[in-house]
């Protein structure tokens, strides 16, 4: 077989280089493109793939895994004895209770359901608690089981069309809150169940805001599932924008904001594809939506606002693997204006990715320290943060290794 031929993925066992070639060709990526993203030569990629060079060390394996969007490290390394899902965090202690509330199928009602208005007020408080809490999964994991049961009950007991639509809108948003809790935990089937139920409840509600939020989260779920699902992410995003756009002239701030957030999501997906022009084009249109919102406005679910656009620019640059641009955008973004602690921590992680792309490993670790200060649970469940820490534990610099090891202990990476 020619060294340029693609090995058969079913021809087991494949060595590392063959697996890398299969995954690269599955993504439709040339050796030249992969080499550029890894700061290596096309010849180096070819020699790894045909076995002329030995398997690289852990930091490079992790970088290859990120570039090729590999979710389970065993898929790249072939070592099935120690599968490592790079984008799944630990299971939270409150996950079983939340799962039980989602999976419940009660038919009899032993009490009167709260009104949609009362549930909406409780939901608003739950979102506020999530944004202000450093350990946000702990907080909303305690609130969700009762909220889910009450919202489901309100839908079942609604006997008028208007009341039922209002209850469905609340239930859709409770499912949205649930997705924030479940994301990156070891139950992807539960995440998809909630995403689909949220979409159905939102459609039943006929509420533009509920529909927009459900679509925003569904698009993220598709994109996070890997390149094969990027088209599905775009389909959800663009169809929802077509629905919302005619409503915007008379819409509330929240509806206009979710439309802006969806425009950014389209740009985010384009950046993941490597489509620079489309990615920055959508970022720009999202920014124009943000500029038309009040200066102090902050969307209660997505954090969309004028303040968030700087953080979004860092994300676009990072996904485009543009290290220098990531650092320039990070210098312009003011994370202190991001009110949500988990969203602020997420921005710090994106900054860390940018600094590492630019070769500034020490600054990357400092950014992760700031992420931990803002919201420990965000960094604990973030695969990119864990990958950077793992890479830096292999650094040639003793100081970097020590700092990375300290972070690994703080976020619980070394727990059994």
């Amino acid at each position: 077989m020619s060294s340029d031929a693609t090995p058969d993925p079913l021809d087991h066992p494949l060595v590392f280089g063959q697996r890398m070639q299969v995954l690269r060709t599955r993504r439709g990526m040339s050796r030249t493109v992969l080499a550029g993203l890894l700061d290596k030569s096309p010849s180096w990629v070819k020699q790894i793939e045909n076995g002329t060079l030995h398997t690289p060390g852990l930091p490079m394996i992790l970088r290859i895994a990120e570039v090729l969007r590999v979710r389970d490290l065993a898929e790249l390394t072939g070592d099935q004895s120690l599968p490592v899902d790079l984008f799944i965090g630990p299971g939270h202690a409150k996950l079983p209770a939340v799962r039980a509330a989602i999976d419940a199928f009660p038919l009899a009602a032993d009490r009167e359901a709260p009104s949609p208005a009362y549930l909406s007020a409780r939901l608003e408080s739950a979102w506020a608690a999530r944004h202000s809490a450093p350990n946000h999964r702990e907080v909303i994991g305690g609130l969700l089981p009762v909220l889910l049961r009450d919202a489901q009950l309100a839908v079942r007991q609604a006997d008028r069309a208007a009341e039922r639509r209002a209850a469905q809108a609340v239930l859709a948003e409770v499912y949205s809150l649930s997705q924030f809790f479940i994301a990156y935990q070891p139950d992807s089937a539960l995440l998809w169940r909630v995403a689909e139920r949220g979409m159905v409840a939102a459609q039943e509600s006929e509420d533009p805001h509920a529909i927009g939020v459900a679509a925003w989260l569904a698009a993220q779920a598709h994109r996070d599932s890997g390149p094969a699902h990027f088209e599905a992410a775009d389909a959800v995003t663009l169809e929802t924008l077509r629905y919302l756009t005619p409503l915007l002239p008379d819409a509330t701030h929240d509806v206009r904001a979710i439309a802006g957030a969806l425009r950014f999501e389209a740009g985010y997906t384009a950046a993941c594809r490597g489509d620079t022009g489309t990615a920055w084009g959508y970022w720009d249109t999202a920014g124009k939506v943000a500029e038309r919102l009040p200066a102090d406005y902050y969307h209660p679910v997505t954090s969309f606002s004028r303040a968030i656009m700087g953080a979004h620019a860092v994300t676009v640059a990072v996904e485009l693997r543009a290290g220098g641009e990531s650092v320039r955008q990070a210098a312009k973004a003011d994370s202190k204006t991001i009110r949500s602690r988990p969203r602020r921590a997420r921005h710090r992680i994106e900054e860390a990715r940018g600094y590492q792309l630019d070769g500034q490993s020490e600054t990357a670790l400092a950014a992760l320290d700031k992420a931990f200060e803002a919201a420990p649970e965000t960094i604990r469940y973030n695969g990119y943060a864990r990958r950077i820490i793992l890479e830096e534990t292999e650094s040639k610099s003793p100081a970097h290794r020590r700092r990375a090891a300290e972070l690994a202990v703080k976020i619980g990476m070394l727990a059994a």
Side-chain angles (χ1 to χ4, degrees):
M1 182 175 69
S2 164
S3 63
D4 288 322
T6 301
D8 182 352
L10 301 178
D11 182 19
H12 295 295
L14 301 182
V15 298
F16 178 87
Q18 291 174 309
R19 288 175 176 276
M20 188 171 93
Q21 185 175 352
V22 169
L23 293 165
R24 174 179 61 76
T25 53
R26 189 182 295 170
R27 273 209 76 188
M29 184 183 290
S30 70
R31 281 178 176 151
T32 302
V33 170
L34 177 59
L37 294 173
L38 297 173
D39 294 325
K40 294 289 186 179
S41 68
S43 173
W44 181 88
V45 173
K46 182 175 180 178
Q47 290 179 79
I48 290 291
E49 290 183 347
N50 65 25
T52 304
L53 292 178
H54 292 300
T55 300
L58 178 62
M60 181 54 68
I61 289 175
L62 291 167
R63 188 155 297 185
I64 293 167
E66 181 183 2
V67 170
L68 295 178
R69 303 269 166 185
V70 175
R71 304 193 70 78
D72 187 340
L73 205 57
E75 191 177 0
L76 179 60
T77 64
D79 183 0
Q80 300 298 325
S81 65
L82 188 62
V84 178
D85 193 319
L86 297 173
F87 292 88
I88 296 295
H92 195 279
K94 288 185 166 61
L95 179 60
V98 174
R99 184 193 295 116
I102 291 167
D103 289 345
F105 189 59
L107 296 175
D110 57 356
R111 59 191 174 88
E112 184 177 350
S115 70
Y118 177 65
L119 283 171
S120 184
R122 282 168 56 191
L123 189 55
E124 184 179 348
S125 297
W127 282 117
R130 177 192 179 268
H131 290 305
S132 62
N135 293 313
H136 43 96
R137 279 184 173 83
E138 180 71 19
V139 171
I140 63 174
L143 298 173
L144 275 171
V146 176
L147 259 177
L148 281 159
R149 293 188 183 100
D150 284 352
Q152 291 163 347
L153 187 63
V155 170
R156 291 205 310 277
Q157 290 187 3
D159 54 8
R160 289 177 296 138
E163 183 183 3
R164 185 174 181 82
R165 286 195 298 271
Q168 290 281 23
V170 174
L171 178 59
E173 198 167 320
V174 173
Y175 282 134
S176 296
L177 183 63
S178 302
Q179 281 181 256
F180 277 89
F181 174 80
I182 299 165
Y184 309 118
Q185 293 203 57
D187 197 338
S188 57
L190 183 66
L191 178 67
W192 278 109
R193 198 149 65 247
V194 168
E196 290 165 358
R197 289 185 188 179
M199 289 287 285
V200 171
Q203 289 171 332
E204 291 289 327
S205 77
E206 301 180 11
D207 181 283
H209 183 254
I211 290 170
V213 171
W216 180 78
L217 282 162
Q220 292 185 20
H222 280 297
R223 187 180 59 240
D224 289 348
S225 296
H229 300 268
F230 287 173
E231 286 188 14
D234 277 340
V236 171
T237 303
L238 299 179
E239 179 62 27
T240 308
L241 282 171
R242 280 191 288 272
Y243 162 74
L244 290 175
T245 298
L247 308 177
L248 296 181
D250 300 316
T252 63
H253 293 325
D254 284 351
V255 172
R256 291 206 300 273
I258 197 61
L262 284 164
R263 285 184 172 88
F264 170 70
E265 289 306 313
Y268 192 163
T269 305
C272 291
R273 280 199 184 93
D275 188 343
T276 301
T278 302
W280 286 115
Y282 274 117
W283 175 84
D284 187 58
T285 59
K288 290 174 182 175
V289 173
E291 284 301 316
R292 290 194 291 271
L293 293 169
D296 60 349
Y297 174 84
Y298 212 80
H299 189 263
V301 178
T302 68
S303 295
F304 189 81
S305 58
R306 295 186 190 183
I308 209 69
M309 292 312 300
H312 282 340
V314 175
T315 296
V316 169
V318 166
E319 291 298 336
L320 290 169
R321 308 291 297 176
E325 183 63 22
S326 302
V327 170
R328 284 190 289 274
Q329 293 294 343
K332 292 195 294 183
D334 183 1
S335 65
K336 292 180 181 178
T337 63
I338 299 175
R339 298 179 193 173
S340 169
R341 291 184 71 139
R343 186 61 186 84
R344 191 157 68 243
R346 159 83 185 283
H347 171 55
R348 292 300 193 189
I349 293 167
E350 296 293 277
E351 282 186 330
R353 294 177 67 196
Y355 285 123
Q356 194 190 43
L357 278 171
D358 199 48
Q360 301 185 44
S361 298
E362 185 174 358
T363 311
L365 290 173
L368 291 181
D369 267 324
K370 291 178 181 177
F372 182 84
E373 291 171 10
E377 281 193 349
T378 295
I379 186 172
R380 190 169 293 132
Y381 286 82
N382 188 282
Y384 294 117
R386 293 201 305 278
R387 179 191 60 76
I388 292 170
I389 292 168
L390 278 171
E391 283 193 28
E392 293 306 318
T393 59
E394 298 283 319
S395 170
K396 294 179 181 179
S397 164
H400 288 187
R401 291 200 303 271
R402 186 164 51 251
R403 191 166 190 177
E406 289 169 356
L407 265 170
V409 171
K410 281 202 287 190
I411 71 172
M413 286 176 64
L414 304 184

